[in-house]
Amino acid sequence: AVKRLWPEVKLAIGPSIKEGWYYDMDAPFAFTPEHMTEIEAEMRKICKEKLKLERFELPREEAIKFMEEKGEPYKVELIQDLPEDAPISFYKQGEFTDLCAGPHLDSTGRIKGNAIKLTACNAAYWRGDSNRQTLQRIYGIAFPKKEELDAYLERIEEAKRRDHRKLGKELGLFMLRDEGPGFPFFLPKGMVLKNTLIDYWRQVHKKYGYVEISTPVILNRKLWERSGHWDHYKQNMYTTVIDGEDYAIKPMNCPGGMLVYKSEPHSYRDLPLRVGELGLVHRHELSGALHGLFRVRCFTQDDAHLFCRPDQLKDEFLKVMDIIFIIFKALDFENFEAQISLRDKVNRDKYIGSEENWEKAESAIIEACQEKGLKAKIEYGEAAFYGPKLDFMVKDAIGRRWQLGTIQVDYNLPERFELEYTGEDNKKHRPVMIHRAPFGSMERFVAVLIEHTGGKFPLWLTPDQVSILPISEKFNDYAYEVKRQLEAEDLSVLVDGRNEKIGRKIRDTELKRIPYMLIVGEKEAENNEVSVRKQGEGDKGSMKIATFAENLNAEVEELLKEW
């Protein structure tokens, strides 16, 4: 369609992706929404023409000449970079021919024109190289039926309504500033949310026998060389020079945890040792990759490092899985998938450690999943450079999948740091290590939670549980007395004492996603009562202040009974 409308446009590459496809193009003008409308109209025409698609192959030199004659330099480069023995295939439909491995449908008539939508256009570098030509990337999607397209577009609109950047601003949770790109600011209500999650994290981990530490944010180069980060991760690290020596701001908490373990001798009786750390880490991300709280340069990782004997590894791995399941259930993330991330079968150079240790680590994860009855997809090439891992992808309220929670088995860092414990045989042995983070990044978890709930957080987690709405200003004093009594019962309460009509106050409170509204006027003040409204359910009747407080705390306890 683009080549029909603007023959001078040069085509680059256009793969299918998880949702639809994109095509990178080099155009002498910027594509606008008006251009998109024209392209869609032309695409619909092509569908109606029911053009047959024909596949053919050409020898390498003929293929290069063919694309040169068509004035497609990007296609020529792609052909030149193909392996010598690779088949070079093309697909032809009507007057249009494109380089493609295929396969394709047999006819453009298979596509319903009213089920096509171009969704976005943005900049992209040729072959992902920022030093090369900037292209324009047009995204699109198609479905067998218009009804499916309509449902998809509604889901996209719902995602926009749930956008954590939008809701984060509206609810006063966090802000992002040009003075610190990728470095988020948490506001008072956001800190209540974050700290409540952290308090919950601490209670769960205390129950499972964890201790907590804090390690320095900046450590010297020798440590990062020893851990392998300096050689394998330096492009993502912020570095500095102190007293003439190289230092790095930590991108991970692990090396500091190694030093804590090495600070005193350990016996086999001490293990397993479960050490948690809510560590602030920094990782350099390209500016184009930054996205709200989903991708930042500074975040709190809810890390823990477990040091155990080899015979304890599987049991400890299973207990970590239990912790992740408990946290997911408390936050209504019960719909999730698991992925076992193993080494690349071919390219082993990017990993550290012995073949034997890798095989033991990978087997431990697979066996633990089998014992738990957890169906996990295996992905090769997705392991960390120091060990395999089990990652969890949760499905949110509108069907999107997010990677949250990870468990990693590591034989290699204990080897590099020469960690030891004295065994029952009175000899020195090497512990095995488990890295794990149920939330992953606290910032990213908060972003997913905002979008999953649409800002309507569980009662135990929401920054403001109750809003008291006086019918008029003369009842403000009573409203603040109710607030005092509820806060004494450990509830989070605010008063809307504005000189506004009660209907306006109710609407504004609903927009703030506050779970409960208490309407107070003359009758309530006389009877020491409150008139209760619940978000999404409406009027719940009048009750005594003490009864309301008791009911709310009982509701919180019920929500968290799995603790």
Side-chain angles (χ1 to χ4, degrees), residues 362-516:
E362 290 174 341
S363 296
I365 294 177
I366 292 168
E367 288 172 15
C369 289
Q370 289 171 344
E371 188 163 323
K372 208 72 174 172
L374 179 68
K375 293 180 180 178
K377 178 176 68 174
I378 292 179
E379 288 288 346
Y380 292 95
E382 295 295 319
F385 71 85
Y386 50 80
K389 55 184 179 170
L390 177 64
D391 293 323
F392 294 88
M393 274 65 68
V394 301
K395 189 175 181 180
D396 72 11
I398 58 174
R400 297 170 301 178
R401 283 174 169 76
W402 306 97
Q403 197 269 309
L404 294 176
T406 186
I407 317 173
Q408 303 169 1
V409 176
D410 187 356
Y411 280 83
N412 294 311
L413 282 184
E415 192 77 39
R416 284 191 165 226
F417 281 86
E418 300 175 338
L419 303 188
E420 294 178 337
Y421 68 91
T422 303
E424 201 169 0
D425 58 2
N426 212 31
K427 294 179 181 178
K428 297 297 181 183
H429 298 270
R430 192 80 70 212
V432 187
M433 186 174 169
I434 297 175
H435 309 248
R436 31 107 301 161
F439 291 131
S441 151
M442 293 298 298
E443 283 68 13
R444 189 169 185 273
F445 193 90
V446 166
V448 174
L449 191 61
I450 291 170
E451 300 207 1
H452 176 54
T453 62
K456 296 177 182 177
F457 303 114
L459 183 62
W460 67 274
L461 185 58
T462 188
D464 297 310
Q465 295 170 314
V466 182
S467 180
I468 304 172
L469 314 179
I471 287 176
S472 69
E473 287 181 288
K474 68 179 182 180
F475 298 108
N476 281 1
D477 288 346
Y478 178 64
Y480 280 102
E481 173 57 25
V482 174
K483 180 176 188 286
R484 185 191 66 75
Q485 291 186 41
L486 294 179
E487 286 180 337
E489 297 297 326
D490 205 27
L491 296 171
S492 175
V493 186
L494 55 83
V495 172
D496 185 348
R498 297 175 299 162
N499 184 22
E500 293 282 359
K501 292 182 178 179
I502 194 65
R504 172 67 184 272
K505 290 183 179 183
I506 290 172
R507 284 194 301 275
D508 290 349
T509 302
E510 286 176 342
L511 289 173
K512 292 176 183 174
R513 279 81 167 170
I514 297 172
Y516 282 94

Side-chain angles (χ1 to χ4, degrees), residues 131-160:
N131 295 314
R132 303 198 66 183
Q133 179 71 26
T134 301
L135 307 172
Q136 295 180 79
R137 178 170 292 178
I138 298 179
Y139 289 89
I141 197 161
F143 291 89
K145 297 178 182 177
K146 184 177 184 298
E147 292 78 11
E148 293 177 60
L149 173 63
D150 291 341
Y152 169 79
L153 294 176
E154 173 53 35
R155 184 162 66 84
I156 296 301
E157 287 305 309
E158 179 61 24
K160 289 177 183 176

Side-chain angles (χ1 to χ4, degrees), residues 120-371:
C121 181
N122 55 33
Y125 295 118
W126 170 231
R127 310 194 93 168
D129 186 343
S130 59
N131 295 314
R132 303 198 66 183
Q133 179 71 26
T134 301
L135 307 172
Q136 295 180 79
R137 178 170 292 178
I138 298 179
Y139 289 89
I141 197 161
F143 291 89
K145 297 178 182 177
K146 184 177 184 298
E147 292 78 11
E148 293 177 60
L149 173 63
D150 291 341
Y152 169 79
L153 294 176
E154 173 53 35
R155 184 162 66 84
I156 296 301
E157 287 305 309
E158 179 61 24
K160 289 177 183 176
R161 290 190 284 271
R162 291 169 177 261
D163 190 313
H164 74 283
R165 294 165 298 180
K166 170 178 170 287
L167 291 177
K169 184 177 181 180
E170 290 176 2
L171 301 177
L173 300 175
F174 67 92
M175 68 179 187
L176 300 163
R177 299 280 302 188
D178 291 340
E179 291 86 345
F183 300 97
F185 292 72
F186 273 83
L187 304 176
K189 291 183 190 300
M191 283 305 296
V192 171
L193 178 65
K194 186 176 177 182
N195 285 335
T196 305
L197 284 170
I198 287 172
D199 291 344
Y200 173 62
W201 182 94
R202 286 193 166 116
Q203 289 194 41
V204 171
H205 285 76
K206 183 178 180 182
K207 175 182 173 182
Y208 275 82
Y210 284 71
V211 295
E212 188 175 346
I213 62 169
S214 176
T215 61
V217 173
I218 299 177
L219 294 162
N220 72 21
R221 174 177 176 167
K222 292 185 182 70
L223 178 75
W224 301 110
E225 286 178 334
R226 192 171 189 182
S227 68
H229 288 89
W230 197 267
D231 294 326
H232 293 268
Y233 205 75
K234 187 169 181 285
Q235 73 276 11
N236 292 101
M237 296 166 68
Y238 294 109
T239 60
T240 186
V241 176
I242 302 174
D243 297 333
E245 284 191 47
D246 289 330
Y247 281 73
I249 301 174
K250 66 177 179 181
M252 297 177 185
N253 299 306
C254 325
M258 304 293 108
L259 298 184
V260 171
Y261 182 90
K262 281 181 71 73
S263 64
E264 58 182 328
H266 298 279
S267 158
Y268 70 95
R269 295 187 184 91
D270 302 327
L271 305 183
L273 187 60
R274 308 178 186 102
V275 184
E277 179 173 14
L278 292 156
L280 187 66
V281 300
H282 293 72
R283 297 179 186 177
H284 178 62
E285 301 283 357
L286 296 175
S287 58
L290 300 176
H291 178 64
L293 296 182
F294 284 139
R295 184 63 70 90
V296 292
R297 290 169 168 162
C298 167
F299 57 92
T300 301
Q301 195 163 39
D302 68 316
D303 243 331
H305 302 107
L306 287 78
F307 304 91
C308 59
R309 305 190 308 265
D311 62 293
Q312 297 171 321
L313 176 60
K314 190 167 71 173
D315 284 344
E316 288 303 305
F317 199 97
L318 290 167
K319 287 174 185 174
V320 173
M321 291 172 74
D322 287 338
I323 289 175
I324 288 178
F325 297 158
I326 287 170
I327 288 175
F328 282 1
K329 187 168 186 178
L331 293 162
D332 193 27
F333 282 125
E334 295 190 67
N335 192 344
F336 62 85
E337 297 174 352
Q339 173 181 303
I340 301 173
S341 299
L342 306 179
R343 288 170 297 172
D344 190 317
K345 286 183 173 181
V346 178
N347 184 9
R348 299 293 175 93
D349 295 339
K350 59 183 181 180
Y351 306 104
I352 61 174
S354 70
E355 186 75 17
E356 179 188 1
N357 283 343
W358 269 92
E359 286 179 2
K360 286 191 288 186
E362 290 174 341
S363 296
I365 294 177
I366 292 168
E367 288 172 15
C369 289
Q370 289 171 344
E371 188 163 323

